[in-house]
Amino acid sequence: MKDRFGEENRRFQWIVEKGGKLATLYGFDQVTTPILEYSQVFERTLGDDSDVVGKELYTFEDKGGSRLTMRPEGTAGITRALISQKLYNDLPQKYYYYGPMFRHERPQKGRLRQFEQFGVEVYGQGHASSDVETIELASVFLKNIGLTNTTLEINSLGDSQSRQNYRTALKDYLSQHVGRLSQDSVNRLSTNPLRILDSKSPQDIEILQDCPVLSDYLSQASRDRFSFITETLSALQIPYVVNPRLVRGLDYYQDTVFEFKVSDSPLLGAQQGTVLAGGRYDGLVEKMGGPTGVSSIGWAAGLERLSLLVGGLQLVPEPVRPVAVIPVPDRPASGSPSSLAESATSLTRIHKEALTICAALREQGIRTEFMHLTQTASSKSQLPKQLARASKLNASHAVLVGTAEIQEGVLTVKDLDKSTQQKSSLQEMVQRLRAQID
């Protein structure tokens, strides 16, 4: 968990804006769901033996006795919304989303316990062409934010019968090596042996080198579907690598699964290069209490990891430079009460005029900083400090507003880059500034 400011925050916003605009081109609408859900939303969908449910959920009981969980991912909550709002009566539905997720996992580079994701979900499109289009969207998204060196790894988990046949063969093989498996894998052997394929334990990885390959157990329909996907990806010139060990970590996946990886990035650390991942989960809606036969596919990308990679590419535009409006108070003629009163009246008039100018500039879409006086006592000695602060804010111009400007009906405009100044009407200044912005 961390705070974000300045450039890092701008990178996040830029990535999200890029993703949202692109998803809109593909026919997606934005969806938002609560951060808090009833715990069963995730416990029913992610799998009781998954690391997410077993070790990583932030779950608590509220004052009313309800068990609530801070969402660890986006798919389950959006699927719950599809069911509760009966959106399955008007399929297909295509959504994109972004926001914070929460997992109590071991922090890594670009992975935090509160992290942000951008993702998409498609409901009601079961043809393999939907898989291709969803993967294509992911590929174009990564390229649009400057990540052109990613590798797409893809696999098919097959239909339910294919997975059952493979599960039996894999369990038989691993049972012969149970004494050498990690404790987590021993526990999974009886509940969901496919999860062992996703193990990061060195001892498990060694054993898995010679295990049965899932593709040998696919039904003909699953083989045909996967062939269509890979051939169409080739036709779209989207390079890929078939990874027969790729299974993804959540229970609801079937058929197509995929990951986009950055290999050996010093920014992410060795073997921690997955930046976007997803797959198909046609049975999820039914599993959560919705109707049968609702096809689903989607993907998600971690914004922290994308931000780390994008940070070195210098693609995020610099923020628009502001214009600083500086009220310039009169120096009191003397310390007499009447002189101080007159000076205060003048200062009020100057502030009103300066704030009016700020409002006019902002109405024209010009970013404007009003330079508030730093002390109650008014003095022209503040002007150098205000100009220095305007330069620190990277202002392009400073607009000086004092009694002389008000009386003459003009503004003093300083170009802070060229160290020049000139008199100008408000309309003339706005035209020049708008021309620079456009």
Side-chain angles (χ1 to χ4, degrees):
M1 295 177 279
K2 62 176 293 187
D3 302 312
R4 285 199 311 268
F5 301 94
E7 181 182 351
E8 185 180 12
N9 226 20
R10 289 193 293 272
R11 286 201 303 269
F12 270 66
Q13 293 172 350
W14 180 77
I15 293 168
V16 167
E17 287 173 4
K18 286 277 190 179
K21 288 179 180 178
L22 181 63
T24 300
L25 292 179
Y26 280 71
F28 287 75
D29 289 325
Q30 184 181 351
V31 64
T32 57
T33 59
I35 287 175
L36 286 177
E37 296 271 6
Y38 288 113
S39 297
Q40 63 181 6
V41 169
F42 304 110
E43 293 170 350
R44 289 172 59 185
T45 58
L46 305 183
D48 290 336
D49 65 319
S50 70
D51 284 343
V52 176
V53 171
K55 304 175 183 178
E56 298 172 2
L57 291 184
Y58 282 98
T59 297
F60 61 94
E61 188 173 296
D62 70 4
K63 293 181 180 179
S66 299
R67 290 183 68 251
L68 302 177
T69 294
M70 300 174 76
R71 63 184 183 197
E73 52 93 49
T75 298
I78 296 172
T79 303
R80 188 271 313 150
L82 181 94
I83 296 169
S84 62
Q85 303 299 324
K86 293 183 171 55
L87 299 174
Y88 51 74
N89 289 324
D90 187 23
L91 297 174
Q93 296 285 347
K94 300 164 69 176
Y95 300 112
Y96 75 89
Y97 65 92
Y98 61 89
M101 312 293 167
F102 304 84
R103 293 186 188 181
H104 193 277
E105 62 180 347
R106 180 174 61 87
Q108 303 167 9
K109 285 187 177 180
R111 284 187 176 174
L112 305 172
R113 290 176 176 176
Q114 176 178 325
F115 57 99
E116 306 237 2
Q117 286 187 337
F118 179 92
V120 303
E121 309 289 348
V122 180
Y123 299 94
Q125 293 182 339
H127 194 276
S129 58
S130 179
D131 300 43
V132 175
E133 186 181 38
T134 304
I135 294 171
E136 181 202 20
L137 170 57
S139 177
V140 176
F141 167 61
L142 293 175
K143 289 178 181 177
N144 278 7
I145 61 173
L147 303 185
T148 58
N149 61 337
T150 59
T151 299
L152 167 61
E153 294 187 1
I154 188 170
N155 192 26
S156 174
L157 302 181
D159 53 28
S160 58
Q161 188 58 54
S162 300
R163 290 194 304 281
Q164 183 57 49
N165 293 340
Y166 180 63
R167 185 180 290 110
T168 300
L170 181 63
K171 186 174 181 179
D172 290 344
Y173 170 80
L174 293 174
S175 296
Q176 301 172 32
H177 304 276
V178 68
R180 296 165 53 203
L181 291 172
S182 67
Q183 187 57 52
D184 279 347
S185 292
V186 171
N187 295 338
R188 288 169 174 168
L189 189 59
S190 59
T191 57
N192 193 345
L194 265 67
R195 288 197 180 280
I196 300 175
L197 295 175
D198 202 34
S199 173
K200 303 300 186 292
S201 168
Q203 62 202 79
D204 294 340
I205 292 174
E206 181 180 354
I207 295 170
L208 292 170
Q209 293 298 318
D210 298 318
C211 77
V213 178
L214 196 155
S215 57
D216 293 338
Y217 294 83
L218 294 180
S219 66
Q220 190 58 50
S222 293
R223 292 175 187 272
D224 292 343
R225 181 185 184 90
F226 194 55
S227 294
F228 174 90
I229 292 170
T230 55
E231 290 171 8
T232 311
L233 288 173
S234 296
L236 292 172
Q237 298 183 338
I238 299 175
Y240 62 87
V241 175
V242 176
N243 179 356
R245 310 293 186 198
L246 180 60
V247 294
R248 300 293 301 137
L250 303 177
D251 268 359
Y252 50 61
Y253 285 109
Q254 65 180 67
D255 284 312
T256 310
V257 290
F258 57 91
E259 294 182 351
F260 283 83
K261 294 185 175 182
V262 177
S263 60
D264 297 326
S265 168
L267 294 171
L268 300 182
Q271 299 181 344
Q272 297 295 336
T274 300
V275 294
L276 184 152
R280 179 163 286 280
Y281 30 90
D282 287 350
L284 182 59
V285 172
E286 180 181 1
K287 186 175 184 178
M288 293 185 67
T292 60
V294 179
S295 302
S296 315
I297 188 171
W299 55 257
L303 293 179
E304 285 79 6
R305 313 203 108 198
L306 296 181
S307 176
L308 279 174
L309 295 169
V310 167
L313 301 178
Q314 297 182 334
L315 295 175
V316 180
E318 290 293 324
V320 175
R321 299 176 68 186
V323 172
V325 176
I326 304 176
V328 183
D330 298 325
R331 188 186 299 273
S334 67
S336 66
S338 60
S339 178
L340 291 174
E342 183 180 346
S343 178
T345 301
S346 173
L347 182 59
T348 298
R349 184 170 66 253
I350 290 170
H351 272 90
K352 289 179 180 178
E353 182 68 18
L355 287 167
T356 300
I357 291 168
C358 285
L361 292 174
R362 289 165 181 154
E363 284 180 1
Q364 295 298 317
I366 297 171
R367 182 181 173 187
T368 305
E369 288 277 355
F370 181 76
M371 310 300 287
H372 299 274
L373 296 177
T374 57
Q375 55 189 0
T376 304
S378 59
S379 169
K380 285 188 176 180
S381 65
Q382 292 193 56
L383 181 57
K385 294 180 180 180
Q386 298 287 40
L387 288 171
R389 182 164 169 260
S391 295
K392 188 175 180 180
L393 292 171
N394 198 30
S396 61
H397 296 78
V399 180
L400 309 184
V401 184
T403 299
E405 282 78 15
I406 295 174
Q407 291 175 347
E408 296 174 19
V410 296
L411 302 173
T412 299
V413 182
K414 293 182 70 72
D415 187 318
L416 297 179
D417 292 333
K418 299 177 181 178
S419 298
T420 60
Q421 73 178 43
Q422 65 183 88
K423 300 288 187 178
S424 173
S425 69
L426 176 61
Q427 184 177 358
E428 290 171 343
M429 180 184 68
V430 167
Q431 289 175 349
R432 285 201 303 271
L433 293 174
R434 284 299 316 169
Q436 292 180 13
I437 295 173
D438 297 336

